[in-house]
Amino acid sequence: MLCALCREFERQEISHIIPAFVYKKLRQISPSGFSRTTSNPNRRVQDGEKFPLLCPSCEDRFSIWEKKFAENVFHPYYASSKNTFSFNYDEWFLKFLVSISYRSLVNKLENEGVEDHSKLCIKNMREAKGIWKDFLLNKRKDIGLYRQHFLIIPIEAETESLFLKCNNGLFNFYLLTATDANTIFSKNGSEAYLITKFGEFFVIATLIDSNPSQWQGLVTKSTSGIFDWRTMIQTSPLVINFIEYAIKDILEAQKNLSPVQSEKIRLGVEQYIKKHSL
């Protein structure tokens, strides 16, 4: 099968949907020593989902942007005082975000299926795939209507989450351990997004959005700038619903854990929060 990006050479690389450095870090900070998927919270994940995707040349292309993100954003974030975290970026940042969404989108179309998606959503997914592909191959300078939103949600020490009306222990456990790559859409078809979540980072790609003004402080452009997560942000309610449902899944899954396992996880989360929360 030809490379999912350049379509010139065979797929020789088994590619991570979410970069490998993410799983290495999540294993280090997770109370259980593993990361977890939101689709199956009880299944511990040591090295994330992979599938044949790219040729060696395109894999190297993605690796350049991954390295930039790891060195300038990911590792500095986990090593910093989060209430002062910011970073400078230029063209590589949007390239990285689109490369993440592109992998998630190809996996959704080729492996997971889109039978429950609307015709418009499927049409836009295929159109976004072509636009993102050309952008990643430097054949176009913009990504059109299929924007990328970058969101950081830091863990919080308060009893109730500042971001969600939910149990903060579960919220922090979700942020510390969960990875996900999935589509979300409204019942009336007016909104649809592709979300890729890893640790406290969310890459949210627009597929359908009848109200783009609802997004504030999150739209990532190809030009250079400074990203400061403390900037006032506003996101679609669908994103909040997505996180709340994921936390409910974790709550349900935890019913199958022994009291010893549950206590170990609780203490691990508390220990991490003492070191790293706002």
Side-chain angles (χ1 to χ4, degrees):
M1 184 179 289
L2 291 177
C3 171
L5 188 63
C6 71
R7 306 294 297 173
E8 294 180 6
F9 306 103
E10 291 294 319
R11 299 186 187 190
Q12 299 178 31
E13 300 292 327
I14 306 298
S15 304
H16 284 88
I17 297 176
I18 296 171
F21 65 80
V22 170
Y23 292 96
K24 182 179 180 180
K25 184 63 179 180
L26 294 185
R27 290 196 302 271
Q28 292 174 356
I29 64 177
S30 169
S32 62
F34 295 87
S35 62
R36 298 170 188 269
T37 61
T38 55
S39 59
N40 189 356
N42 267 339
R43 184 171 68 88
R44 301 184 301 182
V45 178
Q46 192 159 17
D47 187 27
E49 188 175 359
K50 296 179 286 188
F51 68 107
L53 180 68
L54 302 172
C55 67
S57 178
C58 289
E59 184 73 27
D60 290 343
R61 179 189 295 266
F62 279 21
S63 295
I64 292 172
W65 303 321
E66 286 183 12
K67 187 173 185 292
K68 285 276 192 179
F69 180 82
E71 293 177 347
N72 292 278
V73 184
F74 189 83
H75 294 309
Y77 175 79
Y78 282 105
S80 72
S81 173
K82 295 183 180 179
N83 61 354
T84 61
F85 180 74
S86 63
F87 62 89
N88 296 310
Y89 68 88
D90 53 32
E91 289 83 356
W92 63 264
F93 185 45
L94 185 57
K95 293 284 190 182
F96 169 77
L97 299 182
V98 173
S99 75
I100 290 291
S101 295
Y102 188 78
R103 280 174 276 195
S104 297
L105 181 59
V106 171
N107 183 55
K108 192 72 179 175
L109 290 170
E110 293 188 357
N111 301 323
E112 295 183 357
V114 292
E115 290 79 10
D116 58 340
H117 295 48
S118 69
K119 291 182 179 179
L120 176 60
C121 186
I122 295 172
K123 169 184 171 293
N124 286 10
M125 290 172 80
R126 289 171 176 160
E127 185 174 282
K129 179 185 174 184
I131 289 174
W132 292 344
K133 176 175 71 71
D134 287 346
F135 177 74
L136 294 171
L137 291 171
N138 295 321
K139 293 182 179 180
R140 64 179 293 157
K141 295 182 179 180
D142 65 86
I143 53 176
L145 297 175
Y146 302 107
R147 296 176 294 273
Q148 303 288 317
H149 309 277
F150 182 66
L151 174 63
I152 300 176
I153 306 179
I155 60 169
E156 299 166 358
E158 288 80 3
T159 303
E160 289 294 323
S161 168
L162 298 175
F163 190 73
L164 302 170
K165 294 180 179 179
C166 64
N167 178 282
N168 204 53
L170 288 176
F171 183 40
N172 287 328
F173 180 72
Y174 167 73
L175 292 176
L176 279 176
T177 66
T179 60
D180 199 6
N182 217 331
T183 46
I184 58 172
F185 37 84
S186 60
K187 291 182 180 180
N188 64 6
S190 64
E191 291 183 80
Y193 307 98
L194 177 67
I195 294 186
T196 309
K197 185 262 184 209
F198 46 98
E200 297 165 56
F201 301 92
F202 295 74
V203 179
I204 307 165
T206 298
L207 297 173
I208 304 172
D209 189 0
S210 60
N211 183 24
S213 63
Q214 68 185 319
W215 296 87
Q216 295 181 15
L218 295 169
V219 178
T220 302
K221 300 179 180 179
S222 59
T223 54
S224 60
I226 300 175
F227 185 94
D228 188 337
W229 76 267
R230 295 168 298 176
T231 302
M232 182 62 68
I233 63 172
Q234 180 176 308
T235 181
S236 167
L238 272 183
V239 176
I240 310 301
N241 294 340
F242 167 81
I243 296 173
E244 288 177 339
Y245 277 116
I247 292 171
K248 288 178 182 178
D249 288 341
I250 291 174
L251 178 61
E252 189 65 28
Q254 284 191 341
K255 294 178 181 179
N256 297 322
L257 296 177
S258 70
V260 173
Q261 288 175 309
S262 296
E263 182 65 9
K264 179 181 178 181
I265 290 173
R266 185 187 69 80
L267 291 175
V269 171
E270 286 185 358
Q271 183 179 17
Y272 182 85
I273 290 172
K274 288 178 182 179
K275 294 181 180 179
H276 301 283
S277 64
L278 298 177

